[in-house]
Amino acid sequence: MAKIKVDGNEIEVPDHYTLLQAAEEAGAEIPRFCFHERLSIAGNCRMCLIEVKGGPPKPAASCAMGVRDLRPGPNGEAPEIFTNTPMVKKAREGVMEFLLINHPLDCPICDQGGECDLQDQAMAFGVDSSRYRENKRAVEDKYIGPLVKTIMTRCIHCTRCVRFTTEVAGISELGLVGRGEDAEITTYLEQAMTSELQGNVIDLCPVGALTSRPYAFQARPWELSKTETVDVMDAVGSAIRVDTRGREVMRILPRTNEAINEEWISDKTRFVWDGLRTQRLDRPYVRRDGRLQPASWNEAFAAIAARVSGTSAERIGAIAGDLAAVEEMWALKRLMGALGSANVDCRQDGSVNHPADGRASYLFNTTISGIEQADALLIIGANPRFEASVLNARIRKRWRVGAFPIGVVGEAADLRYDHTYLGAGPDTLSNIEQANRGFFDALNAAERPMIILGQAALRGERGGDVLAAVAALAREIGASVAGWNGFNVLQTAASRVGGLDIGFVPGEGGRTAAEMAAGGVDVLFNLGADEIEIAPGPFVVYVGTHGDRGAHRADVILPGAAYTEKSGTWVNVEGRAQTGSRAAFPPGDAREDWAILRALSAVLGHKLPFDSLGQLRAEIYAAHPAYRSDTIEPADAAAITALADRAGTISGAGFGRAVEDFYLTNPIARASKVMAECSRLAQAEHLQAAE
């Protein structure tokens, strides 16, 4: 720690702080354009100028000067800086005047209007006239893909976007070319950006040079209602803000959550909002004469009741989809239990994760922020870049620090950081030491080794053997010891951990999702499970939001609410229960899923014992007290040891991939035109790379 005086007030700050950070710690507000806490220091904009006592008679850039760079006074007094002297004010006004020389007067038509750092700081340091009489320079706009719109004449060359793509996203797709007046931010060959995190440059841009292309000219920020909620596009549970106008979602932005997503979100999270409007189910449907026809709620419930009443309990089942909240899964499980059926499953992808193996067997036990404490990593049957893009950025963040060997068993892919490719499947996993002795020694010698086991390795008949083998490997290398649990399972579905926690898996004698979909039941309740093919035969009741695969196969459709249209609980990959808030209302006659199931239970003669969301949650909290708060309840690592004792020999083909198309993983994404365009570009890039 170091002592420093800021505007006469003495404070103590870490000695690695910049003067900008030290000043803000003291309560002083320092304007800036290029500086960002999560990016390297560029010192481009010079807006953060301050005065250093005893220094040269000119202002200093506070972002590029550290506390260690200051000299004490002649008698050992603490170094002193000033943030509000006449010299500082005049210097900042001069910088602002230069920045505005070439900046166009676009505020009335700029999508950044009302949220623009340049607007805000011009109010404080700008003047009402210009001394510049020459022509303003103009820069040609660049096409960098369907997500980010460019108006490069507005660019002030802060290079935040360049540093983000290079340092956080892990691919140098943007750069600064030219010098002086000819300097431009560009993609060099004017190609579409390929990063799954590229939309974050929109938030980073302090002016209107980079804006959201799908959101262009849609709304002004003061028109929007803002709701803080949780993302469900993957299992990370990123903190987001949903902005709505009336009943429509207009955009989705990230919220800062240091424990999960820091301040980044994936492009699928950010741009999927147009899929919430299209192909929506807004009324019940009943299949008559081979065709789905509109019906009333009473008619739909009567059709279900007629079919259920003539079916034995063991021939009734339920499957929960990847976006389901804990509340509706709890209600559906209670309804199945009241009907006497044990056929429930939330693992539509065929995963072998099961609560009977202990909670540690399906959680990301290290936690997302705990990645930064690890000193070696083995990835098995997972591609974090597509399965959890924000989590992958955290891995890259740790890798950039150094001394972090990474090995991969499974699909050979570009993960945006250097790694050692060990092999494709179980044969490699059986003998990692032989596959690469150097990496195995580094993994074995690590104090806090970490293993990430993906869903591609946990599906099918051999999934249980792989799970046990990886648990045995974790025990061998000391990944699961007191104070550190490095055994991690990377889930791909937002609903999975919550479903496993509440036991939404087959009971004694119950059938799995695959068995039910293959015709193992006569009546199947489908709670938004659109990633599984249901064979002809069963009477399917689909509770969902979009006219996707599940609705096409349904005999009765009950329109539900999307994640932005209901208050629900989702448990993320590390076991953290988070409550999402309703930002809009469902369209037409659609209702919240738990309310649909509660109303249906009364018609079926098995009325569920709750009449409100509060009563339903009281039941859940009684069984799972940790769900009341946004905290992680550590799982018992003894489950890993028990799994390891079951380990045997494994063999077979490579693990493959869990996510075939990052942009089209759920019904909302498949209804989005923006995601369809991104998918098309990604496939074209893949084909070009293959050639």
Side-chain angles (χ1 to χ4, degrees), residues 283-624:
R283 66 180 67 179
Y285 288 85
V286 175
R287 190 176 295 277
R288 302 189 185 100
D289 301 324
R291 296 186 61 184
L292 285 168
Q293 299 180 12
S296 66
W297 281 101
N298 289 336
E299 290 172 337
F301 285 168
I304 298 168
R307 194 60 183 257
V308 169
S309 63
T311 306
S312 59
E314 63 272 12
R315 300 295 295 177
I316 301 174
I319 303 175
D322 293 346
L323 307 183
V326 170
E327 285 83 356
E328 53 251 33
M329 288 191 288
W330 182 274
L332 184 54
K333 185 189 176 191
R334 288 292 306 269
L335 179 58
M336 290 296 104
L339 292 172
S341 173
N343 303 321
V344 295
D345 204 349
C346 64
R347 306 163 302 173
Q348 61 172 330
D349 57 359
S351 170
V352 298
N353 285 134
H354 198 285
D357 294 327
R359 200 165 186 248
S361 69
Y362 57 83
L363 286 185
F364 201 92
N365 296 289
T366 302
T367 72
I368 297 172
S369 60
I371 293 172
E372 297 182 31
Q373 308 303 319
D375 48 13
L377 171 62
L378 175 62
I379 300 174
I380 302 170
N383 185 336
R385 177 184 160 194
F386 295 128
E387 296 170 27
S389 301
V390 174
L391 185 146
N392 195 56
R394 186 83 72 148
I395 296 174
R396 175 176 166 79
K397 180 182 179 182
R398 172 61 186 90
W399 170 80
R400 290 186 70 237
V401 173
F404 191 52
I406 301 174
V408 173
V409 177
E411 178 192 8
D414 178 10
L415 299 178
R416 306 302 199 203
Y417 38 79
D418 295 339
H419 60 270
T420 303
Y421 184 66
L422 305 174
D427 295 336
T428 303
L429 184 58
S430 298
N431 198 342
I432 291 180
E433 183 176 3
Q434 185 177 348
N436 191 298
R437 181 60 184 266
F439 173 78
F440 180 79
D441 289 345
L443 186 68
N444 209 21
E447 291 184 13
R448 293 179 297 278
M450 180 176 164
I451 296 175
I452 296 179
L453 178 59
Q455 293 302 303
L458 294 176
R459 297 175 178 175
E461 296 179 357
R462 68 181 179 184
D465 296 331
V466 171
L467 182 64
V470 174
L473 175 63
R475 182 173 62 180
E476 179 184 351
I477 65 174
S480 184
V481 295
W484 177 259
N485 190 343
F487 179 88
N488 303 288
V489 174
L490 182 59
Q491 305 288 351
T492 58
S495 66
R496 188 63 50 83
V497 173
L500 294 172
D501 277 353
I502 67 172
F504 203 94
V505 291
E508 186 176 353
R511 295 176 174 84
T512 64
E515 292 169 341
M516 288 187 276
V521 294
D522 294 331
V523 175
L524 179 60
F525 288 89
N526 181 345
L527 186 61
D530 291 89
E531 319 308 319
I532 188 170
E533 294 293 333
I534 301 174
F539 180 86
V540 179
V541 178
Y542 179 73
V543 184
T545 59
H546 286 71
D548 205 77
R549 298 168 188 163
H552 292 169
R553 173 61 187 84
D555 294 286
V556 175
I557 294 176
L558 305 178
Y563 71 105
T564 57
E565 299 160 359
K566 61 187 174 187
S567 178
T569 302
W570 287 271
V571 186
N572 80 342
V573 68
E574 57 188 355
R576 184 190 303 271
Q578 300 182 101
T579 301
S581 301
R582 181 173 61 193
F585 288 90
D589 291 334
R591 296 291 183 268
E592 294 189 26
D593 304 62
W594 74 266
I596 294 173
L597 295 167
R598 162 62 182 80
L600 177 60
S601 69
V603 176
L604 296 179
H606 298 279
K607 183 179 177 181
L608 295 176
F610 45 80
D611 296 320
S612 67
L613 184 61
Q615 292 175 351
L616 169 57
R617 283 182 173 161
E619 270 195 16
I620 298 174
Y621 294 158
H624 302 275

Side-chain angles (χ1 to χ4, degrees), residues 6-7 19 38 101 140 147 158 170 178 200 229 272 299 306 318 376 384 391 428-429 664 683 686:
V6 180
D7 296 332
L19 296 185
R38 304 186 199 279
I101 277 176
E140 184 179 353
L147 303 180
C158 69
N200 291 289
T229 184
V272 78
E299 290 172 337
L391 185 146
T428 303
L429 184 58
L664 304 177
Q683 290 175 5
H686 180 72

Side-chain angles (χ1 to χ4, degrees), residues 95-134:
V95 170
M96 178 58 67
E97 187 174 10
F98 273 114
L99 287 175
L100 294 179
I101 277 176
N102 283 311
H103 196 79
L105 296 174
D106 278 352
C107 295
I109 61 160
C110 179
D111 279 318
Q112 198 84 344
E115 301 173 312
C116 179
D117 291 349
L118 187 63
Q119 276 185 332
D120 296 341
Q121 294 182 36
M123 285 291 292
F125 302 104
V127 294
D128 60 355
S129 61
S130 174
R131 294 181 286 174
Y132 192 70
R133 296 292 175 260
E134 291 76 12

Side-chain angles (χ1 to χ4, degrees), residues 162-178:
V162 176
R163 285 174 284 150
F164 172 82
T165 54
T166 303
E167 298 165 12
V168 179
I171 177 169
S172 298
E173 293 188 300
L174 290 174
L176 184 73
V177 299

